[in-house]
Structure formats: structure tokens, C-alpha cells
Amino acid sequence: MAINKAMKIALKALSYPDLDIKKNYKIHRQINTAMHPYLKPRYKIWDHTITGIDHEIPVRIFMPSKASFDKADRVLIFFHGGGWVIGNIDSYSNVCYNMANQTGAVVVSVDYRLAPEHRFPLGLEDCYTVTREVFLNSTLFGVSMDDITIIGDSAGGNLAAAVSLMARDKGEFNISRQILFYPSTHNDHSDETGFPSISKFGKDYLLTSKRIRDYMDLYISSENDLSNPYLAPLIAKDLSNQPKTLIITAEYDPLRDEAEAYGRKLKEFNNTVYIYRMKDALHGFISLPKHFVHVKGSYEIISKFLNNEL
């Protein structure tokens, strides 16, 4: 459904005034969790931890309702959104449960450390550690490495792209596929950045450009991080040898253009890339209930991508 005049008025009211995320990020976390209640009895899950360098990384494993752990066809490693500052495996459990059922895959949701308590690159290191563990012990799920895909939305899409770059650079394992929902890929979200979607949709469409900048300020450890391609994959000088990539963007999203630019740059380095823009969609739409048209459409595309039918 297109965004009509009444809906635009409602969106503007919800987008302004923008609460100061830098001062109130803990309140934002509480609100985010309350808006996405975790209904554990519905899920066929396994809570687990993976050992990091100096701490345990929680993960939650979701099974499709008609599958068992020894009959998985594929695995999706999921990194949640929230600007690297909010969100957790509880607030994204409904999303992951639906993802498992829609794709028939085991979904491994990673509860990486959040900023500003744990700034870049600590959350990324958690995501990489879990990904390495799953890839190097893929027999745990009875699947091959080629049947393991990394996936993330927004900041989680950024983390997925960075994990792919890091995996190539470290050479410990090969990622064959990645799925990026409206990822943050750049280091500049001012109106002067050159991406029209920032100026067109950066104020009245729920996610504002100010909030994106505030999230990034909370995430980085210093200004030097802004020149690091693991923080902003779009600035990477070399994007060769990246996984087959599916990028799904939202029409009314300030991050739309940089996400699509990342897909085009991946193509320039001879990677296989599919870019789909969801018409009339807002940033964060994958968290909507499963019957919403954008959610249903996305999983139709994802299923074709996973089955090599695109």
C-alpha cells in the first residue's frame, strides 16, 4: 500500500521530536524490547553460548516448526539491527522464528555486544567469532559450508557485510552467501553525503538521519574508525571475492541509496549481486508481522536466492 497523505502526517509525528539517543539509549533499549515481546512457548529453540576471546557470546537457535536439529537443510546466521546500540535476541525472536519457518532453515541469532558500552569493533568481533564457529563446525547441523548464509538487517546488515570482508581477509573460511536488509554501508549520513535518500527521507520516515549519526557516534571508538571498511564497507578499496549477495532495500529509507550503491560496487568487483527495492516500504519492515506484503515478498525473494532460482 502506498504512503498516502494521512500516513505521511502520522509518520512525521512519530519521527519528531527525535529523542536524544545519546542520552537516552538505555530507555530506547527498554522500549524496543517492550515493543517486541518474546513469547518463548511458541518457539522451537535452543539457547547456547559460544566462547569469545574473553567472554561468552549468547546465541539463540531457531528450528523450523516441521524440522529437527538433525534434519536441517541450511543454516542462516542472523545479526540483528538497532544501530549497534539497541536490540537483542529477545526483541528479534519473532523475526527469527518467522525466518526459520519461511525459509526452512535453522536460524542462529547472535546476541553481540552493544555500544556504547562495547564500541567498534567489539560487536563485529562477536559476530565474526560466532560465524567462524558455525562454519568450522558445520557438521553440528549436518550441512556443508555452502549451505550456510549470513544475514542481517540495518546495523546487522552492516555487520554481515563486514564479517564477509573480514572472513576474506583472515582466510579462515569461505562464506558463499550473504543477505543484507537495508544495510548501513557508509560513514557519512549528513545531507551533503551525496545520497538523495538521506535528504529525501531523513526526517519524516521513522528512521531519521540524525538518529543514524547519533548511533554511529555511539558505535565508533574514535574518528579514525570512520575510515575503516569494516565500519563502512562502501569505502573499501577492494571488494573482490565476496559472497553471492542479496540486498533488499526499502523505498522510503534514508539508508536506501548507500545500500544499493554497495551492491553496485560489489558488482564492479565481479561478485554476483541481486538488488531489490521494496516499493512503499519503510526502514525496519522485516520486523513487521509475517502477513505484511513486504515481509511476504522478501521471503519469496530469499527463498529463490537460497535455491539459486534468481
Side-chain angles (χ1 to χ4, degrees), residues 89-139:
I89 52 176
D90 284 346
S91 64
Y92 268 81
S93 281
N94 289 338
V95 172
C96 292
Y97 177 72
N98 186 44
M99 185 180 297
N101 280 333
Q102 294 289 338
T103 62
V106 174
V107 175
V108 180
S109 180
V110 182
D111 208 12
Y112 58 87
R113 288 172 290 178
L114 298 176
E117 296 90 342
H118 307 283
R119 294 178 181 264
F120 176 83
L122 298 181
L124 171 60
E125 290 175 355
D126 288 351
C127 294
Y128 180 82
T129 297
V130 172
T131 302
R132 180 182 59 195
E133 181 75 12
V134 174
F135 269 85
L136 297 184
N137 296 280
S138 57
T139 54

Side-chain angles (χ1 to χ4, degrees), residues 48-50 55-60 89 109-112 126 130:
H48 184 54
T49 59
I50 289 176
H55 68 290
E56 297 293 310
I57 307 166
V59 298
R60 179 167 292 158
I89 52 176
S109 180
V110 182
D111 208 12
Y112 58 87
D126 288 351
V130 172

Side-chain angles (χ1 to χ4, degrees), residues 178-226:
Q178 63 178 352
I179 301 171
L180 314 178
F181 275 98
Y182 33 80
S184 168
T185 66
H186 199 37
N187 56 10
D188 180 5
H189 298 93
S190 65
D191 288 343
E192 293 74 36
T193 189
F195 294 116
S197 62
I198 288 287
S199 55
K200 289 177 66 177
F201 309 122
K203 291 184 179 178
D204 299 330
Y205 294 86
L206 295 184
L207 178 66
T208 65
S209 57
K210 176 185 181 300
R211 182 168 295 187
I212 298 169
R213 294 193 297 271
D214 287 348
Y215 280 142
M216 188 159 283
D217 285 346
L218 290 171
Y219 183 44
I220 62 174
S221 300
S222 72
E223 292 294 317
N224 292 334
D225 292 337
L226 295 174

Side-chain angles (χ1 to χ4, degrees), residues 41-296:
R42 291 177 52 198
Y43 303 136
K44 194 174 182 181
I45 65 167
W46 177 36
D47 281 327
H48 184 54
T49 59
I50 289 176
T51 302
I53 296 175
D54 56 2
H55 68 290
E56 297 293 310
I57 307 166
V59 298
R60 179 167 292 158
I61 302 172
F62 296 79
M63 294 299 304
S65 58
K66 295 182 180 180
S68 59
F69 281 106
D70 59 350
K71 294 182 179 179
D73 293 320
R74 56 174 63 102
V75 174
L76 302 178
I77 304 173
F78 178 73
F79 312 128
H80 67 77
W84 311 281
V85 174
I86 64 175
N88 53 43
I89 52 176
D90 284 346
S91 64
Y92 268 81
S93 281
N94 289 338
V95 172
C96 292
Y97 177 72
N98 186 44
M99 185 180 297
N101 280 333
Q102 294 289 338
T103 62
V106 174
V107 175
V108 180
S109 180
V110 182
D111 208 12
Y112 58 87
R113 288 172 290 178
L114 298 176
E117 296 90 342
H118 307 283
R119 294 178 181 264
F120 176 83
L122 298 181
L124 171 60
E125 290 175 355
D126 288 351
C127 294
Y128 180 82
T129 297
V130 172
T131 302
R132 180 182 59 195
E133 181 75 12
V134 174
F135 269 85
L136 297 184
N137 296 280
S138 57
T139 54
L140 175 66
F141 298 104
V143 300
S144 69
M145 286 189 181
D146 289 341
D147 292 318
I148 303 173
T149 300
I150 62 173
I151 178 172
D153 79 309
S154 193
N158 168 278
L159 291 167
V163 166
S164 292
L165 288 172
M166 189 175 287
R168 179 203 62 189
D169 296 342
K170 289 179 177 290
E172 295 180 297
F173 55 89
N174 294 316
I175 300 173
S176 59
R177 291 186 183 88
Q178 63 178 352
I179 301 171
L180 314 178
F181 275 98
Y182 33 80
S184 168
T185 66
H186 199 37
N187 56 10
D188 180 5
H189 298 93
S190 65
D191 288 343
E192 293 74 36
T193 189
F195 294 116
S197 62
I198 288 287
S199 55
K200 289 177 66 177
F201 309 122
K203 291 184 179 178
D204 299 330
Y205 294 86
L206 295 184
L207 178 66
T208 65
S209 57
K210 176 185 181 300
R211 182 168 295 187
I212 298 169
R213 294 193 297 271
D214 287 348
Y215 280 142
M216 188 159 283
D217 285 346
L218 290 171
Y219 183 44
I220 62 174
S221 300
S222 72
E223 292 294 317
N224 292 334
D225 292 337
L226 295 174
S227 60
N228 190 325
Y230 292 157
L231 181 125
L234 184 59
I235 69 172
K237 294 181 179 179
D238 180 8
L239 288 178
S240 61
N241 299 315
Q242 287 302 279
K244 181 183 292 185
T245 301
L246 171 62
I247 297 177
I248 300 179
T249 63
E251 181 177 4
Y252 298 107
D253 182 355
L255 295 178
R256 183 195 72 192
D257 292 347
E258 66 186 74
E260 294 175 359
Y262 187 60
R264 292 191 295 271
K265 189 170 181 178
L266 284 171
K267 287 184 179 182
E268 292 173 7
F269 282 85
N270 298 316
N271 299 291
T272 300
V273 185
Y274 304 93
I275 306 171
Y276 284 82
R277 180 186 296 180
M278 299 303 290
K279 182 177 174 58
D280 300 325
L282 297 167
H283 184 88
F285 69 81
I286 199 61
S287 296
L288 294 171
K290 61 183 180 181
H291 62 270
F292 274 68
V293 63
H294 300 122
V295 178
K296 292 172 64 176

